[in-house]
PDB file of all heavy atoms in Angstrom:
ATOM      1  N   ASP A  20    -109.003 -31.496  31.435  1.00  0.00           N
ATOM      2  CA  ASP A  20    -108.713 -31.644  30.000  1.00  0.00           C
ATOM      3  C   ASP A  20    -107.638 -30.677  29.499  1.00  0.00           C
ATOM      4  O   ASP A  20    -107.325 -30.647  28.308  1.00  0.00           O
ATOM      5  CB  ASP A  20    -109.995 -31.480  29.176  1.00  0.00           C
ATOM      6  CG  ASP A  20    -110.625 -30.086  29.305  1.00  0.00           C
ATOM      7  OD1 ASP A  20    -110.060 -29.225  30.020  1.00  0.00           O
ATOM      8  OD2 ASP A  20    -111.679 -29.855  28.682  1.00  0.00           O
ATOM      9  N   GLY A  21    -107.082 -29.869  30.414  1.00  0.00           N
ATOM     10  CA  GLY A  21    -106.012 -28.947  30.023  1.00  0.00           C
ATOM     11  C   GLY A  21    -106.476 -27.734  29.254  1.00  0.00           C
ATOM     12  O   GLY A  21    -105.669 -26.978  28.711  1.00  0.00           O
ATOM     13  N   SER A  22    -107.781 -27.480  29.203  1.00  0.00           N
ATOM     14  CA  SER A  22    -108.308 -26.362  28.404  1.00  0.00           C
ATOM     15  C   SER A  22    -107.996 -25.004  29.023  1.00  0.00           C
ATOM     16  O   SER A  22    -107.925 -23.996  28.314  1.00  0.00           O
ATOM     17  CB  SER A  22    -109.822 -26.517  28.201  1.00  0.00           C
ATOM     18  OG  SER A  22    -110.483 -26.637  29.449  1.00  0.00           O
ATOM     19  N   VAL A  23    -107.814 -24.944  30.333  1.00  0.00           N
ATOM     20  CA  VAL A  23    -107.442 -23.703  31.027  1.00  0.00           C
ATOM     21  C   VAL A  23    -106.383 -24.040  32.076  1.00  0.00           C
ATOM     22  O   VAL A  23    -106.506 -25.038  32.790  1.00  0.00           O
ATOM     23  CB  VAL A  23    -108.656 -23.050  31.733  1.00  0.00           C
ATOM     24  CG1 VAL A  23    -108.249 -21.723  32.391  1.00  0.00           C
ATOM     25  CG2 VAL A  23    -109.797 -22.806  30.760  1.00  0.00           C
ATOM     26  N   GLY A  24    -105.346 -23.209  32.169  1.00  0.00           N
ATOM     27  CA  GLY A  24    -104.333 -23.398  33.212  1.00  0.00           C
ATOM     28  C   GLY A  24    -103.558 -24.692  33.066  1.00  0.00           C
ATOM     29  O   GLY A  24    -103.282 -25.161  31.958  1.00  0.00           O
ATOM     30  N   SER A  25    -103.217 -25.293  34.191  1.00  0.00           N
ATOM     31  CA  SER A  25    -102.443 -26.539  34.200  1.00  0.00           C
ATOM     32  C   SER A  25    -103.332 -27.727  33.861  1.00  0.00           C
ATOM     33  O   SER A  25    -104.487 -27.782  34.287  1.00  0.00           O
ATOM     34  CB  SER A  25    -101.828 -26.764  35.591  1.00  0.00           C
ATOM     35  OG  SER A  25    -101.039 -25.662  35.980  1.00  0.00           O
ATOM     36  N   ARG A  26    -102.781 -28.668  33.116  1.00  0.00           N
ATOM     37  CA  ARG A  26    -103.526 -29.906  32.854  1.00  0.00           C
ATOM     38  C   ARG A  26    -103.389 -30.809  34.075  1.00  0.00           C
ATOM     39  O   ARG A  26    -102.302 -31.014  34.598  1.00  0.00           O
ATOM     40  CB  ARG A  26    -102.980 -30.627  31.618  1.00  0.00           C
ATOM     41  CG  ARG A  26    -103.685 -31.971  31.358  1.00  0.00           C
ATOM     42  CD  ARG A  26    -103.055 -32.721  30.207  1.00  0.00           C
ATOM     43  NE  ARG A  26    -103.338 -32.094  28.927  1.00  0.00           N
ATOM     44  CZ  ARG A  26    -104.433 -32.303  28.189  1.00  0.00           C
ATOM     45  NH1 ARG A  26    -105.370 -33.132  28.638  1.00  0.00           N
ATOM     46  NH2 ARG A  26    -104.608 -31.702  27.043  1.00  0.00           N
ATOM     47  N   GLY A  27    -104.532 -31.321  34.566  1.00  0.00           N
ATOM     48  CA  GLY A  27    -104.491 -32.220  35.712  1.00  0.00           C
ATOM     49  C   GLY A  27    -105.308 -31.685  36.867  1.00  0.00           C
ATOM     50  O   GLY A  27    -106.410 -31.177  36.680  1.00  0.00           O
ATOM     51  N   ASN A  28    -104.714 -31.786  38.076  1.00  0.00           N
ATOM     52  CA  ASN A  28    -105.463 -31.392  39.271  1.00  0.00           C
ATOM     53  C   ASN A  28    -104.757 -30.265  40.017  1.00  0.00           C
ATOM     54  O   ASN A  28    -103.749 -29.732  39.552  1.00  0.00           O
ATOM     55  CB  ASN A  28    -105.677 -32.613  40.177  1.00  0.00           C
ATOM     56  CG  ASN A  28    -104.349 -33.257  40.591  1.00  0.00           C
ATOM     57  OD1 ASN A  28    -103.351 -32.582  40.791  1.00  0.00           O
ATOM     58  ND2 ASN A  28    -104.356 -34.577  40.727  1.00  0.00           N
ATOM     59  N   VAL A  29    -105.286 -29.923  41.189  1.00  0.00           N
ATOM     60  CA  VAL A  29    -104.738 -28.786  41.931  1.00  0.00           C
ATOM     61  C   VAL A  29    -103.284 -29.013  42.339  1.00  0.00           C
ATOM     62  O   VAL A  29    -102.493 -28.064  42.394  1.00  0.00           O
ATOM     63  CB  VAL A  29    -105.600 -28.469  43.177  1.00  0.00           C
ATOM     64  CG1 VAL A  29    -106.928 -27.857  42.769  1.00  0.00           C
ATOM     65  CG2 VAL A  29    -105.803 -29.702  44.057  1.00  0.00           C
ATOM     66  N   MET A  30    -102.903 -30.260  42.605  1.00  0.00           N
ATOM     67  CA  MET A  30    -101.511 -30.541  42.969  1.00  0.00           C
ATOM     68  C   MET A  30    -100.583 -30.292  41.776  1.00  0.00           C
ATOM     69  O   MET A  30     -99.453 -29.823  41.939  1.00  0.00           O
ATOM     70  CB  MET A  30    -101.358 -31.985  43.467  1.00  0.00           C
ATOM     71  CG  MET A  30    -102.233 -32.344  44.663  1.00  0.00           C
ATOM     72  SD  MET A  30    -102.168 -31.153  46.032  1.00  0.00           S
ATOM     73  CE  MET A  30    -100.444 -31.212  46.459  1.00  0.00           C
ATOM     74  N   ASP A  31    -101.066 -30.585  40.570  1.00  0.00           N
ATOM     75  CA  ASP A  31    -100.280 -30.302  39.365  1.00  0.00           C
ATOM     76  C   ASP A  31    -100.072 -28.800  39.204  1.00  0.00           C
ATOM     77  O   ASP A  31     -98.991 -28.349  38.801  1.00  0.00           O
ATOM     78  CB  ASP A  31    -100.985 -30.862  38.120  1.00  0.00           C
ATOM     79  CG  ASP A  31    -101.070 -32.384  38.140  1.00  0.00           C
ATOM     80  OD1 ASP A  31    -100.029 -33.021  38.391  1.00  0.00           O
ATOM     81  OD2 ASP A  31    -102.168 -32.923  37.925  1.00  0.00           O
ATOM     82  N   ALA A  32    -101.102 -28.004  39.544  1.00  0.00           N
ATOM     83  CA  ALA A  32    -100.983 -26.539  39.440  1.00  0.00           C
ATOM     84  C   ALA A  32     -99.948 -26.007  40.434  1.00  0.00           C
ATOM     85  O   ALA A  32     -99.180 -25.087  40.117  1.00  0.00           O
ATOM     86  CB  ALA A  32    -102.339 -25.882  39.687  1.00  0.00           C
ATOM     87  N   ILE A  33     -99.884 -26.585  41.631  1.00  0.00           N
ATOM     88  CA  ILE A  33     -98.881 -26.172  42.620  1.00  0.00           C
ATOM     89  C   ILE A  33     -97.483 -26.450  42.094  1.00  0.00           C
ATOM     90  O   ILE A  33     -96.602 -25.584  42.134  1.00  0.00           O
ATOM     91  CB  ILE A  33     -99.110 -26.911  43.963  1.00  0.00           C
ATOM     92  CG1 ILE A  33    -100.337 -26.341  44.671  1.00  0.00           C
ATOM     93  CG2 ILE A  33     -97.878 -26.804  44.867  1.00  0.00           C
ATOM     94  CD1 ILE A  33    -100.712 -27.096  45.935  1.00  0.00           C
ATOM     95  N   ARG A  34     -97.290 -27.662  41.583  1.00  0.00           N
ATOM     96  CA  ARG A  34     -95.959 -28.041  41.075  1.00  0.00           C
ATOM     97  C   ARG A  34     -95.566 -27.204  39.871  1.00  0.00           C
ATOM     98  O   ARG A  34     -94.442 -26.690  39.788  1.00  0.00           O
ATOM     99  CB  ARG A  34     -95.943 -29.534  40.722  1.00  0.00           C
ATOM    100  CG  ARG A  34     -95.886 -30.452  41.928  1.00  0.00           C
ATOM    101  CD  ARG A  34     -95.666 -31.890  41.509  1.00  0.00           C
ATOM    102  NE  ARG A  34     -96.877 -32.466  40.945  1.00  0.00           N
ATOM    103  CZ  ARG A  34     -97.808 -33.106  41.671  1.00  0.00           C
ATOM    104  NH1 ARG A  34     -97.656 -33.233  42.970  1.00  0.00           N
ATOM    105  NH2 ARG A  34     -98.871 -33.613  41.090  1.00  0.00           N
ATOM    106  N   GLU A  35     -96.485 -27.041  38.927  1.00  0.00           N
ATOM    107  CA  GLU A  35     -96.172 -26.339  37.679  1.00  0.00           C
ATOM    108  C   GLU A  35     -95.816 -24.874  37.922  1.00  0.00           C
ATOM    109  O   GLU A  35     -94.994 -24.292  37.218  1.00  0.00           O
ATOM    110  CB  GLU A  35     -97.367 -26.440  36.734  1.00  0.00           C
ATOM    111  CG  GLU A  35     -97.047 -26.060  35.303  1.00  0.00           C
ATOM    112  CD  GLU A  35     -98.172 -26.431  34.354  1.00  0.00           C
ATOM    113  OE1 GLU A  35     -98.441 -27.633  34.184  1.00  0.00           O
ATOM    114  OE2 GLU A  35     -98.791 -25.495  33.804  1.00  0.00           O
ATOM    115  N   ASN A  36     -96.447 -24.269  38.943  1.00  0.00           N
ATOM    116  CA  ASN A  36     -96.210 -22.857  39.217  1.00  0.00           C
ATOM    117  C   ASN A  36     -95.191 -22.613  40.327  1.00  0.00           C
ATOM    118  O   ASN A  36     -94.933 -21.468  40.690  1.00  0.00           O
ATOM    119  CB  ASN A  36     -97.535 -22.178  39.570  1.00  0.00           C
ATOM    120  CG  ASN A  36     -98.480 -22.104  38.374  1.00  0.00           C
ATOM    121  OD1 ASN A  36     -98.301 -21.289  37.472  1.00  0.00           O
ATOM    122  ND2 ASN A  36     -99.481 -22.981  38.355  1.00  0.00           N
ATOM    123  N   GLY A  37     -94.618 -23.695  40.865  1.00  0.00           N
ATOM    124  CA  GLY A  37     -93.594 -23.571  41.904  1.00  0.00           C
ATOM    125  C   GLY A  37     -94.088 -22.856  43.150  1.00  0.00           C
ATOM    126  O   GLY A  37     -93.380 -22.019  43.721  1.00  0.00           O
ATOM    127  N   LEU A  38     -95.302 -23.200  43.599  1.00  0.00           N
ATOM    128  CA  LEU A  38     -95.922 -22.494  44.713  1.00  0.00           C
ATOM    129  C   LEU A  38     -95.588 -23.147  46.055  1.00  0.00           C
ATOM    130  O   LEU A  38     -95.328 -24.343  46.129  1.00  0.00           O
ATOM    131  CB  LEU A  38     -97.449 -22.485  44.540  1.00  0.00           C
ATOM    132  CG  LEU A  38     -97.979 -21.925  43.219  1.00  0.00           C
ATOM    133  CD1 LEU A  38     -99.492 -22.062  43.159  1.00  0.00           C
ATOM    134  CD2 LEU A  38     -97.567 -20.470  43.040  1.00  0.00           C
ATOM    135  N   CYS A  39     -95.601 -22.334  47.114  1.00  0.00           N
ATOM    136  CA  CYS A  39     -95.444 -22.876  48.465  1.00  0.00           C
ATOM    137  C   CYS A  39     -96.287 -22.035  49.420  1.00  0.00           C
ATOM    138  O   CYS A  39     -96.686 -20.911  49.100  1.00  0.00           O
ATOM    139  CB  CYS A  39     -93.980 -22.897  48.898  1.00  0.00           C
ATOM    140  SG  CYS A  39     -93.208 -21.277  48.910  1.00  0.00           S
ATOM    141  N   ALA A  40     -96.573 -22.603  50.609  1.00  0.00           N
ATOM    142  CA  ALA A  40     -97.446 -21.927  51.567  1.00  0.00           C
ATOM    143  C   ALA A  40     -97.107 -22.360  52.989  1.00  0.00           C
ATOM    144  O   ALA A  40     -96.430 -23.369  53.207  1.00  0.00           O
ATOM    145  CB  ALA A  40     -98.903 -22.239  51.258  1.00  0.00           C
ATOM    146  N   ASP A  41     -97.598 -21.568  53.950  1.00  0.00           N
ATOM    147  CA  ASP A  41     -97.430 -21.876  55.374  1.00  0.00           C
ATOM    148  C   ASP A  41     -98.589 -22.689  55.927  1.00  0.00           C
ATOM    149  O   ASP A  41     -98.458 -23.364  56.947  1.00  0.00           O
ATOM    150  CB  ASP A  41     -97.349 -20.575  56.199  1.00  0.00           C
ATOM    151  CG  ASP A  41     -96.247 -19.649  55.719  1.00  0.00           C
ATOM    152  OD1 ASP A  41     -95.125 -20.147  55.481  1.00  0.00           O
ATOM    153  OD2 ASP A  41     -96.513 -18.439  55.567  1.00  0.00           O
ATOM    154  N   VAL A  42     -99.744 -22.583  55.290  1.00  0.00           N
ATOM    155  CA  VAL A  42    -100.942 -23.269  55.764  1.00  0.00           C
ATOM    156  C   VAL A  42    -101.901 -23.458  54.586  1.00  0.00           C
ATOM    157  O   VAL A  42    -101.874 -22.668  53.634  1.00  0.00           O
ATOM    158  CB  VAL A  42    -101.615 -22.481  56.933  1.00  0.00           C
ATOM    159  CG1 VAL A  42    -102.000 -21.089  56.496  1.00  0.00           C
ATOM    160  CG2 VAL A  42    -102.821 -23.204  57.493  1.00  0.00           C
ATOM    161  N   ILE A  43    -102.707 -24.522  54.647  1.00  0.00           N
ATOM    162  CA  ILE A  43    -103.616 -24.857  53.544  1.00  0.00           C
ATOM    163  C   ILE A  43    -105.056 -24.887  54.045  1.00  0.00           C
ATOM    164  O   ILE A  43    -105.336 -25.398  55.131  1.00  0.00           O
ATOM    165  CB  ILE A  43    -103.277 -26.242  52.944  1.00  0.00           C
ATOM    166  CG1 ILE A  43    -101.857 -26.250  52.351  1.00  0.00           C
ATOM    167  CG2 ILE A  43    -104.304 -26.645  51.871  1.00  0.00           C
ATOM    168  CD1 ILE A  43    -101.392 -27.625  51.907  1.00  0.00           C
ATOM    169  N   TYR A  44    -105.952 -24.357  53.217  1.00  0.00           N
ATOM    170  CA  TYR A  44    -107.394 -24.466  53.443  1.00  0.00           C
ATOM    171  C   TYR A  44    -107.975 -25.087  52.181  1.00  0.00           C
ATOM    172  O   TYR A  44    -107.690 -24.608  51.082  1.00  0.00           O
ATOM    173  CB  TYR A  44    -108.016 -23.086  53.668  1.00  0.00           C
ATOM    174  CG  TYR A  44    -107.603 -22.427  54.963  1.00  0.00           C
ATOM    175  CD1 TYR A  44    -106.354 -21.821  55.088  1.00  0.00           C
ATOM    176  CD2 TYR A  44    -108.456 -22.407  56.065  1.00  0.00           C
ATOM    177  CE1 TYR A  44    -105.959 -21.222  56.283  1.00  0.00           C
ATOM    178  CE2 TYR A  44    -108.081 -21.804  57.252  1.00  0.00           C
ATOM    179  CZ  TYR A  44    -106.837 -21.221  57.355  1.00  0.00           C
ATOM    180  OH  TYR A  44    -106.453 -20.634  58.539  1.00  0.00           O
ATOM    181  N   ALA A  45    -108.803 -26.133  52.331  1.00  0.00           N
ATOM    182  CA  ALA A  45    -109.259 -26.833  51.131  1.00  0.00           C
ATOM    183  C   ALA A  45    -110.657 -27.401  51.284  1.00  0.00           C
ATOM    184  O   ALA A  45    -111.095 -27.755  52.384  1.00  0.00           O
ATOM    185  CB  ALA A  45    -108.283 -27.970  50.791  1.00  0.00           C
ATOM    186  N   CYS A  46    -111.344 -27.496  50.146  1.00  0.00           N
ATOM    187  CA  CYS A  46    -112.669 -28.115  50.077  1.00  0.00           C
ATOM    188  C   CYS A  46    -112.809 -28.779  48.719  1.00  0.00           C
ATOM    189  O   CYS A  46    -112.485 -28.175  47.691  1.00  0.00           O
ATOM    190  CB  CYS A  46    -113.765 -27.069  50.264  1.00  0.00           C
ATOM    191  SG  CYS A  46    -115.440 -27.766  50.247  1.00  0.00           S
ATOM    192  N   GLY A  47    -113.278 -30.016  48.724  1.00  0.00           N
ATOM    193  CA  GLY A  47    -113.434 -30.693  47.439  1.00  0.00           C
ATOM    194  C   GLY A  47    -113.611 -32.180  47.606  1.00  0.00           C
ATOM    195  O   GLY A  47    -113.813 -32.681  48.718  1.00  0.00           O
ATOM    196  N   PRO A  48    -113.506 -32.927  46.504  1.00  0.00           N
ATOM    197  CA  PRO A  48    -113.721 -34.377  46.552  1.00  0.00           C
ATOM    198  C   PRO A  48    -112.622 -35.084  47.349  1.00  0.00           C
ATOM    199  O   PRO A  48    -111.502 -34.580  47.487  1.00  0.00           O
ATOM    200  CB  PRO A  48    -113.713 -34.786  45.072  1.00  0.00           C
ATOM    201  CG  PRO A  48    -113.002 -33.685  44.365  1.00  0.00           C
ATOM    202  CD  PRO A  48    -113.259 -32.439  45.142  1.00  0.00           C
ATOM    203  N   MET A  49    -112.936 -36.254  47.852  1.00  0.00           N
ATOM    204  CA  MET A  49    -112.040 -36.973  48.743  1.00  0.00           C
ATOM    205  C   MET A  49    -110.660 -37.281  48.144  1.00  0.00           C
ATOM    206  O   MET A  49    -109.650 -37.129  48.840  1.00  0.00           O
ATOM    207  CB  MET A  49    -112.710 -38.258  49.233  1.00  0.00           C
ATOM    208  CG  MET A  49    -112.081 -38.831  50.481  1.00  0.00           C
ATOM    209  SD  MET A  49    -112.141 -37.700  51.903  1.00  0.00           S
ATOM    210  CE  MET A  49    -113.774 -38.027  52.540  1.00  0.00           C
ATOM    211  N   PRO A  50    -110.546 -37.699  46.869  1.00  0.00           N
ATOM    212  CA  PRO A  50    -109.203 -37.943  46.336  1.00  0.00           C
ATOM    213  C   PRO A  50    -108.312 -36.698  46.392  1.00  0.00           C
ATOM    214  O   PRO A  50    -107.116 -36.789  46.680  1.00  0.00           O
ATOM    215  CB  PRO A  50    -109.470 -38.374  44.884  1.00  0.00           C
ATOM    216  CG  PRO A  50    -110.855 -38.907  44.902  1.00  0.00           C
ATOM    217  CD  PRO A  50    -111.596 -38.077  45.903  1.00  0.00           C
ATOM    218  N   MET A  51    -108.890 -35.536  46.127  1.00  0.00           N
ATOM    219  CA  MET A  51    -108.146 -34.282  46.221  1.00  0.00           C
ATOM    220  C   MET A  51    -107.699 -34.018  47.649  1.00  0.00           C
ATOM    221  O   MET A  51    -106.547 -33.651  47.906  1.00  0.00           O
ATOM    222  CB  MET A  51    -109.014 -33.126  45.715  1.00  0.00           C
ATOM    223  CG  MET A  51    -108.322 -31.775  45.741  1.00  0.00           C
ATOM    224  SD  MET A  51    -109.488 -30.424  45.421  1.00  0.00           S
ATOM    225  CE  MET A  51    -109.515 -29.656  47.031  1.00  0.00           C
ATOM    226  N   LEU A  52    -108.601 -34.213  48.609  1.00  0.00           N
ATOM    227  CA  LEU A  52    -108.267 -33.944  50.007  1.00  0.00           C
ATOM    228  C   LEU A  52    -107.205 -34.916  50.519  1.00  0.00           C
ATOM    229  O   LEU A  52    -106.349 -34.537  51.325  1.00  0.00           O
ATOM    230  CB  LEU A  52    -109.526 -34.014  50.870  1.00  0.00           C
ATOM    231  CG  LEU A  52    -110.599 -32.967  50.546  1.00  0.00           C
ATOM    232  CD1 LEU A  52    -111.799 -33.144  51.472  1.00  0.00           C
ATOM    233  CD2 LEU A  52    -110.055 -31.538  50.647  1.00  0.00           C
ATOM    234  N   ARG A  53    -107.239 -36.169  50.050  1.00  0.00           N
ATOM    235  CA  ARG A  53    -106.198 -37.132  50.447  1.00  0.00           C
ATOM    236  C   ARG A  53    -104.831 -36.667  49.948  1.00  0.00           C
ATOM    237  O   ARG A  53    -103.831 -36.752  50.661  1.00  0.00           O
ATOM    238  CB  ARG A  53    -106.517 -38.522  49.879  1.00  0.00           C
ATOM    239  CG  ARG A  53    -107.669 -39.215  50.571  1.00  0.00           C
ATOM    240  CD  ARG A  53    -107.748 -40.689  50.181  1.00  0.00           C
ATOM    241  NE  ARG A  53    -108.982 -41.265  50.703  1.00  0.00           N
ATOM    242  CZ  ARG A  53    -110.044 -41.558  49.961  1.00  0.00           C
ATOM    243  NH1 ARG A  53    -110.038 -41.350  48.643  1.00  0.00           N
ATOM    244  NH2 ARG A  53    -111.125 -42.069  50.517  1.00  0.00           N
ATOM    245  N   ALA A  54    -104.801 -36.190  48.704  1.00  0.00           N
ATOM    246  CA  ALA A  54    -103.535 -35.711  48.135  1.00  0.00           C
ATOM    247  C   ALA A  54    -103.030 -34.483  48.895  1.00  0.00           C
ATOM    248  O   ALA A  54    -101.829 -34.339  49.149  1.00  0.00           O
ATOM    249  CB  ALA A  54    -103.713 -35.389  46.655  1.00  0.00           C
ATOM    250  N   ILE A  55    -103.941 -33.606  49.277  1.00  0.00           N
ATOM    251  CA  ILE A  55    -103.558 -32.408  50.028  1.00  0.00           C
ATOM    252  C   ILE A  55    -103.058 -32.777  51.413  1.00  0.00           C
ATOM    253  O   ILE A  55    -102.061 -32.228  51.897  1.00  0.00           O
ATOM    254  CB  ILE A  55    -104.759 -31.430  50.110  1.00  0.00           C
ATOM    255  CG1 ILE A  55    -105.000 -30.809  48.732  1.00  0.00           C
ATOM    256  CG2 ILE A  55    -104.526 -30.346  51.165  1.00  0.00           C
ATOM    257  CD1 ILE A  55    -106.276 -30.012  48.623  1.00  0.00           C
ATOM    258  N   LYS A  56    -103.712 -33.723  52.061  1.00  0.00           N
ATOM    259  CA  LYS A  56    -103.262 -34.176  53.385  1.00  0.00           C
ATOM    260  C   LYS A  56    -101.842 -34.730  53.309  1.00  0.00           C
ATOM    261  O   LYS A  56    -100.987 -34.408  54.142  1.00  0.00           O
ATOM    262  CB  LYS A  56    -104.225 -35.241  53.930  1.00  0.00           C
ATOM    263  CG  LYS A  56    -103.788 -35.792  55.277  1.00  0.00           C
ATOM    264  CD  LYS A  56    -104.735 -36.840  55.840  1.00  0.00           C
ATOM    265  CE  LYS A  56    -104.161 -37.373  57.146  1.00  0.00           C
ATOM    266  NZ  LYS A  56    -105.042 -38.332  57.818  1.00  0.00           N
ATOM    267  N   LYS A  57    -101.588 -35.547  52.293  1.00  0.00           N
ATOM    268  CA  LYS A  57    -100.249 -36.138  52.113  1.00  0.00           C
ATOM    269  C   LYS A  57     -99.213 -35.039  51.868  1.00  0.00           C
ATOM    270  O   LYS A  57     -98.117 -35.035  52.463  1.00  0.00           O
ATOM    271  CB  LYS A  57    -100.286 -37.119  50.937  1.00  0.00           C
ATOM    272  CG  LYS A  57     -98.977 -37.838  50.652  1.00  0.00           C
ATOM    273  CD  LYS A  57     -99.224 -38.951  49.634  1.00  0.00           C
ATOM    274  CE  LYS A  57     -97.947 -39.718  49.326  1.00  0.00           C
ATOM    275  NZ  LYS A  57     -97.027 -38.969  48.457  1.00  0.00           N
TER     276      LYS A  57
END
């Protein structure tokens, strides 16, 4: 609902903050994990 931080999901937070990484560790619902895999 956009009440804290970025509005949307974890991928939106990565884009909004211009983040990058060498490796990812994740746990959560399947739609989130599919987006992270992609």
Side-chain angles (χ1 to χ4, degrees):
D20 63 1
S22 55
V23 183
S25 304
R26 177 185 289 275
N28 58 35
V29 289
M30 302 311 300
D31 295 311
I33 287 175
R34 285 188 285 270
E35 194 169 295
N36 292 284
L38 305 176
C39 60
D41 304 314
V42 59
I43 298 173
Y44 292 78
C46 182
M49 199 60 84
M51 181 190 111
L52 297 180
R53 287 192 189 106
I55 289 171
K56 178 180 177 176
K57 182 170 181 285

